[in-house]
Amino acid sequence: MLDLSGQQVIEFTKDCLFPIFCFGCGKEGEWLCEDCFGRLDLRGVFCCPVCHRPNENGAGCAVCQPQSFLDRAMAIAVYQEENSVGRLIKALKYNYAEDVLAAFAKMIDGFLIHQFGVLSEVDLIVPVPLHRRRLVERGFNQARLLADILGQKIGRPVVEWLQRERYTMQQAKLSREERRVNVHQAFANGDFKADSVLLVDDVFTTGATMQECARVLKISGVKKVIGFSVARG
Ligand SMILES: [Zn+2]
Ligand SMILES: [Zn+2]
């Protein structure tokens, strides 16, 4: 006779009602099947945070570093909207955060096998904040969820040091430069101390948001800010 635990019954019912399909190949059962996971390159993407030129450790190049608040920028994989990593990130943001997180935890493990050393100097992990309205709409900050996974893996505390607000000033009255700042306005919320912070987000594209967050952290006394994202566009 079939003897199922309560948890197994729940899992079985869930699979029947909401079947999930691999984002890589479409096979039923997991968000990212073993085969597709095995095909991911998790050695990391390291580029200058300003000009995006690839290099060995994600440090800013000599010319760019003076205009960068981020000391380094690293990502686990390359972002494309239609690759499995892109689809996973979309799912994380818009639909099924809890289930999808397991796939990201596996990716982070894979990255740390190659690159554990690069995170050893970090004192504190800080997620890139969401605008408040977004947080209310979505109910969670995906950067915080990823930061929590990293915190467990590398044994460092995660703190929500930063906040972002939509500035109420009317955009039309601002100059172009002011608007840029306006969009990304961040501020420190809380009194923490750290020499080296790992700033975590899901995707790194232009780097404007991370730079703004790094700027605030540096004003708050942090000496070194390392940007970390799951994917880099
Ligand atoms: Zn697959
Ligand atoms: Zn550069």
Side-chain angles (χ1 to χ4, degrees):
M1 201 185 146
L2 202 57
D3 189 14
L4 294 172
S5 74
Q7 187 56 37
Q8 282 171 318
V9 172
I10 290 169
E11 287 301 323
F12 178 74
T13 313
K14 221 166 95 181
D15 287 348
C16 293
L17 293 176
F18 311 105
I20 57 176
F21 301 94
C22 171
F23 280 125
C25 68
K27 194 166 77 186
E28 190 177 339
E30 284 176 283
W31 294 114
L32 196 59
C33 75
E34 283 299 325
D35 290 344
C36 291
F37 181 79
R39 275 195 286 273
L40 292 178
D41 182 353
L42 303 173
R43 286 171 300 174
V45 181
F46 298 87
C47 304
C48 168
V50 178
C51 71
H52 308 282
R53 203 169 295 153
N55 59 32
E56 263 177 23
N57 57 7
C61 15
V63 193
C64 298
Q65 195 51 49
Q67 27 162 336
S68 178
F69 296 102
L70 287 167
D71 295 271
R72 293 164 73 175
M74 60 185 79
I76 299 180
V78 174
Y79 178 84
Q80 281 164 358
E81 217 167 287
E82 285 311 318
N83 69 7
S84 47
V85 176
R87 290 175 186 168
L88 275 171
I89 286 174
K90 208 168 162 193
L92 173 69
K93 274 186 179 164
Y94 299 107
N95 298 302
Y96 333 94
E98 295 294 322
D99 286 5
V100 175
L101 272 182
F104 285 110
K106 261 172 87 175
M107 281 180 65
I108 289 170
D109 275 336
F111 174 79
L112 290 175
I113 288 171
H114 303 288
Q115 307 290 357
F116 195 84
V118 299
L119 302 183
S120 58
E121 60 182 313
V122 167
D123 303 323
L124 210 59
I125 302 176
V126 177
V128 166
L130 270 188
H131 285 299
R132 244 190 216 179
R133 205 186 64 194
R134 271 281 169 77
L135 189 60
V136 170
E137 284 166 2
R138 194 175 292 169
F140 63 90
N141 175 4
Q142 72 278 4
R144 170 74 207 238
L145 302 178
L146 295 167
D148 283 340
I149 297 176
L150 271 162
Q152 280 167 12
K153 308 263 183 214
I154 69 170
R156 299 291 190 282
V158 177
V159 295
E160 295 195 5
W161 195 340
L162 303 172
Q163 269 191 24
R164 265 160 97 192
E165 286 291 354
R166 274 174 70 90
Y167 228 41
T168 48
M169 272 168 87
Q170 282 178 348
Q171 291 274 348
K173 290 183 185 157
L174 303 175
S175 71
R176 204 166 149 219
E177 179 59 16
E178 282 169 333
R179 268 187 229 182
R180 192 189 64 77
V181 175
N182 194 25
V183 170
H184 299 293
Q185 196 83 13
F187 59 90
N189 173 42
D191 194 17
F192 301 100
K193 293 239 176 319
D195 281 337
S196 179
V197 162
L198 188 70
L199 183 61
V200 176
D201 207 355
D202 51 353
V203 186
F204 185 108
T205 39
T206 66
T209 306
M210 277 227 182
Q211 289 286 3
E212 165 65 2
C213 291
R215 182 185 71 81
V216 177
L217 289 171
K218 292 247 163 121
I219 292 170
S220 310
V222 177
K223 294 189 185 72
K224 196 166 184 182
V225 181
I226 302 171
F228 179 96
S229 54
V230 169
R232 181 146 179 167

